[in-house]
Amino acid sequence: MAILFPILRIAHIAAAIFWVGTSLFMLFFLEPTVRSLGPDGGKFMQRLLGGTRFSLAISAAAMITILAGLILYGPVTGGSAQIMFGQRLPLTIGAIAGIAAGIVGGAMQGRASGQLTALGARMAKAGGPPSPADLAEMQRLQGVIRQGSLWGGALMIVAVVGMTWPR
């Protein structure tokens, strides 16, 4: 167990850096650029989400961060509610925010990304210009992804502050 704790901590920190950094980059830089490109931005996102391992990498980083964090949380707090909600309250809030960011990422962004990829493939297979219904659905799904990015980004910032709060 003595060697497991440092390995889990390194995995937790490294995965969190990738997950949070990539998510905030997408929120503040990539998504606004994609929106400004119009239909070409949609093609880029379809390629990024459906034609690369990006979704897998960010999902894996989120899962590693959360699972390693949960395993590390017990020894840090000793399982004591007095410690969890007393001197370690910022850590507890950060942990809850990180878990919530993972849930938002999977439930909102992951699901909508999958639907958007399937819609894009269906539109490409149909050929010709997309129907108004397909365009409306694409915009709706992009809106869901954007909302998930905003919620996830805010929760990740709370998680990072909670994890780094002086003890």
Side-chain angles (χ1 to χ4, degrees), residues 17-129:
I17 289 169
F18 176 77
W19 181 33
V20 173
T22 302
S23 296
L24 294 179
F25 167 76
M26 287 188 66
L27 175 63
F28 292 117
F29 297 102
L30 188 62
E31 286 180 13
T33 302
V34 166
R35 276 196 319 273
S36 73
L37 293 173
D40 289 334
K43 290 177 189 175
F44 171 80
M45 285 306 288
Q46 180 182 351
R47 176 73 176 128
L48 177 67
L49 298 175
T52 69
R53 293 186 182 160
F54 176 78
S55 295
L56 177 63
I58 201 158
S59 296
M63 289 178 64
I64 290 167
T65 301
I66 291 169
L67 292 176
L70 286 171
I71 294 168
L72 292 167
Y73 187 76
V76 168
T77 63
S80 163
Q82 183 178 6
I83 293 173
M84 289 169 34
F85 296 103
Q87 67 194 49
R88 299 287 183 157
L89 182 60
L91 182 66
T92 301
I93 292 170
I96 292 168
I99 293 167
I103 292 169
V104 165
M108 290 181 77
Q109 294 170 291
R111 185 175 297 140
S113 293
Q115 291 171 345
L116 188 60
T117 299
L119 175 63
R122 190 178 80 231
M123 287 169 40
K125 186 177 180 182

Side-chain angles (χ1 to χ4, degrees), residues 134-153:
D134 285 344
L135 288 175
E137 179 66 4
M138 182 181 289
Q139 288 178 340
R140 185 190 73 77
L141 291 170
Q142 289 170 343
V144 170
I145 292 169
R146 175 77 177 149
Q147 280 297 114
S149 293
L150 291 169
W151 280 104

